[in-house]
C-alpha cells in the first residue's frame, strides 16, 4: 500500500507514541504523598565504615608501580596501612589502572579500578558511538543474552578482566580469606560493577561486595537486575554529580519533553542496580531503596537533567575523600 511521502509510517510513529505513553503513565503514577520518610539516613558510624574503601577507590588513580609498592602517599599507605599488594596494571591511557591486594584489617581482597575525569566520563556516557551490547560469553559464561551493557564500559572491563581474576585467585589462596571487595570511581566504578558480575562466575565459595562512587548507568534492566542479586552493590553518589543520571533511563519523570528528546539515551533503557547512597547538600548520606529511585533525596530525582548537575561534585568529597591519587 502506498502512502503519502510526508505521513509517518507506524514504525516512525513509535518513538513519539512511546514518549507520550511514558509521560501519561508517569503522570498517572506520580505519588501524591512524599516518600521521604522511608528513605533512611546513615549514622556517622555507618558512614565511616565506607572510608577505607573510598581511599581504595581513590588509590585507583595512582600509578601501577606505586600501588604495587604501596608507597603512593596519603590515600594509600596513610589511609590503609595494612594492605598487601598482589598485582597491578594498566597504562592510564588505553587501559585504566587497576590493582589487587589484601587488607588484613578489613579481612578482604581489594580490587580497585581507576576512573576518569568528569569531562571524559561525560563524553563516554553521552557519545552515541556507544550502544548497549551483549557480554562476551567466554568471559561471562551462562549469562543470558538479554543482559546488555554500555559497549565502552564492557570493552574497558574486558581489557583487564583475566589479569584481575588471576590476581584475585592468587590473593585468596595466599591469604586464605573468603571475601572480595571491588571498588572504583566513575569509569572505574562502571568497570567494577561489571567485575561484580564477572568475578563470581569464576570464583565460588567467597563473599563479594562492590562499593563504587559516582557510578554512571552501566547496562539495561536485565543487567541492573543481575547486578542487584544479593544486594552486594553499594553505589555512592555525591550531591548534584550528573554522571549517575547518565546515560538516561526510560523513567526520569521530572524531565521536560525537550530534555527527553535531548537525552535520547533514555530510550536505550539504561538502569542502575539497587544500593544507591546519595550524599545530600547537608552532608547526610541517604540510602535509596529500589533502582533509580526518583525521590529528590536520590540522584535520579535530585538531578533531573544534565543541566541541573554540577560536575565539580563528581570527584567528591565522599566523607572527606577526594577521588584522586
Ligand atoms: C523510592 O523510595 C521510596 C521510599 O522508601 C519507596 O517507597 C519507593 O518504592 C522507591 N522507589 C523505587 C523506584 O524503588
Amino acid at each position: 500500500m502506498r502512502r503519502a511521502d510526508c505521513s509517518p509510517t507506524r514504525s516512525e510513529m513509535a518513538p513519539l507514541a512511546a514518549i507520550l505513553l511514558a509521560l501519561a503513565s508517569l503522570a498517572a503514577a506520580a505519588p501524591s504523598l512524599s516518600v521521604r520518610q522511608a528513605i533512611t539516613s546513615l549514622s556517622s558510624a555507618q558512614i565511616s565504615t565506607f572510608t577505607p574503601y573510598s581511599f581504595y577507590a581513590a588509590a585507583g588513580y595512582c600509578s601501577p608501580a606505586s600501588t604495587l609498592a604501596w608507597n603512593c602517599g596519603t590515600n594509600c599507605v596513610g589511609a590503609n596501612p595494612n594492605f598487601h599488594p598482589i598485582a597491578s596494571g594498566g597504562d592510564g591511557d588505553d587501559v585504566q589502572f587497576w590493582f589487587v591486594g589484601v587488607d588484613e584489617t578489613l579481612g578482604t581482597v581489594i580490587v580497585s579500578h581507576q576512573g576518569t575525569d568528569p569531562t571524559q566520563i561525560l563524553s563516554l556516557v553521552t557519545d552515541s558511538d556507544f550502544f548497549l551490547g551483549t557480554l562476551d560469553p567466554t568471559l561471562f559464561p551462562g549469562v543470558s543474552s538479554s543482559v546488555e551493557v554500555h559497549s565502552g564500559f564492557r570493552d574497558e572491563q574486558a581489557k583487564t578482566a583475566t589479569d584481575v581474576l588471576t590476581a584475585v585467585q592468587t590473593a585468596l589462596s595466599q591469604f586464605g580469606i573468603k571475601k572480595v571487595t571491588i571498588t572504583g570511581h566513575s569509569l572505574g566504578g562502571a568497570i567494577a560493577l561489571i567485575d561484580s558480575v564477572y568475578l563470581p562466575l569464576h570464583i565460588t565459595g567467597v563473599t563479594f561486595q562492590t562499593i563504587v562512587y559516582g557510578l554512571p548507568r552501566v547496562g539495561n534492566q536485565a543487567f541492573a537486575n543481575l547486578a542487584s542479586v544479593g544486594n552486594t552493590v553499594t553505589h555512592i553518589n555525591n550531591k548534584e554529580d550528573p554522571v549517575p543520571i547518565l546515560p538516561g533511563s526510560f523513567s526520569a519523570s521530572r524531565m521536560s519533553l525537550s530534555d527527553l528528546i535531548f537525552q535520547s539515551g533514555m530510550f536505550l533503557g539504561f538502569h542502575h542496580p539497587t544500593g544507591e547512597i546519595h550524599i545530600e547538600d547537608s552532608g547526610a548520606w541517604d540510602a535509596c531503596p529500589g533502582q533509580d529511585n526518583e525521590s529528590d533525596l536520590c540522584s535520579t530525582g535530585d538531578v533531573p537533567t544534565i543541566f541541573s548537575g554540577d560536575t565539580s561534585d563528581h570527584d567528591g568529597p565522599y566523607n572527606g575523600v577526594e577521588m584522586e591519587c
Side-chain angles (χ1 to χ4, degrees):
M1 193 171 71
R2 270 184 63 88
R3 62 185 175 90
D5 278 343
C6 57
S7 74
T9 63
R10 184 178 281 269
S11 67
E12 284 163 352
M13 285 285 287
L16 181 61
I19 295 172
L20 296 175
L21 209 74
L23 289 175
S25 64
L26 286 167
S32 52
L33 293 171
S34 166
V35 294
R36 279 166 189 260
Q37 287 74 12
I39 289 168
T40 50
S41 293
L42 275 65
S43 68
S44 50
Q46 286 172 318
I47 294 171
S48 304
T49 61
F50 289 98
T51 304
Y53 303 104
S54 309
F55 280 115
Y56 280 123
Y61 284 90
C62 301
S63 73
S66 69
T67 50
L68 198 58
W70 206 238
N71 63 3
C72 33
T74 49
N75 282 1
C76 298
V77 68
N80 287 308
N82 293 320
F83 182 72
H84 303 277
I86 297 286
S88 65
D91 60 14
D93 183 13
D94 284 342
V95 184
Q96 301 299 108
F97 297 153
W98 59 273
F99 67 85
V100 170
V102 171
D103 188 310
E104 287 191 297
T105 309
L106 298 170
T108 179
V109 173
I110 299 286
V111 178
S112 179
H113 288 282
Q114 180 192 17
T116 186
D117 61 54
T119 319
Q120 281 191 354
I121 188 71
L122 282 175
S123 78
L124 256 176
V125 291
T126 54
D127 188 333
S128 58
D129 283 348
F130 296 104
F131 53 89
L132 277 168
T134 54
L135 293 161
D136 175 352
T138 311
L139 292 176
F140 295 84
V143 169
S144 162
S145 60
S146 67
V147 171
E148 294 183 325
V149 300
H150 182 284
S151 58
F153 300 154
R154 174 193 65 190
D155 296 349
E156 290 304 319
Q157 190 270 347
K159 288 175 187 170
T160 63
T162 53
D163 287 346
V164 167
L165 173 61
T166 303
V168 171
Q169 286 168 326
T170 303
L172 288 168
S173 68
Q174 275 186 16
F175 285 79
I177 52 177
K178 296 275 177 220
K179 189 172 179 185
V180 177
T181 304
I182 312 163
T183 188
H185 165 247
S186 187
L187 173 58
I191 298 171
L193 187 66
I194 301 175
D195 264 2
S196 80
V197 169
Y198 166 71
L199 291 173
L201 294 172
H202 302 275
I203 299 171
T204 53
V206 305
T207 307
F208 287 90
Q209 68 176 357
T210 301
I211 302 171
V212 291
Y213 302 81
L215 178 73
R217 293 193 179 107
V218 173
N220 65 357
Q221 185 68 66
F223 175 78
N225 293 347
L226 189 59
S228 300
V229 170
N231 295 310
T232 61
V233 174
T234 303
H235 47 116
I236 303 169
N237 298 333
N238 188 41
K239 300 180 180 173
E240 274 77 46
D241 179 4
V243 172
I245 65 149
L246 296 168
S249 76
F250 72 94
S251 65
S253 61
R254 317 247 177 137
M255 288 182 173
S256 68
L257 190 57
S258 59
D259 291 332
L260 284 173
I261 290 163
F262 177 79
Q263 288 189 305
S264 57
M266 71 165 34
F267 298 115
L268 300 174
F270 283 88
H271 294 270
H272 273 304
T274 55
E276 179 188 355
I277 292 174
H278 183 231
I279 305 176
E280 312 296 349
D281 292 334
S282 67
W285 286 38
D286 285 342
C288 296
Q291 299 173 335
D292 299 287
N293 197 302
E294 292 178 0
S295 161
D296 61 9
L297 295 176
C298 308
S299 279
T300 299
D302 191 26
V303 190
T305 72
I306 187 170
F307 306 111
S308 48
D310 183 347
T311 52
S312 71
D313 288 335
H314 185 54
D315 291 348
Y318 297 86
N319 190 28
V321 181
E322 287 284 348
M323 290 297 157
E324 62 196 8
C325 182

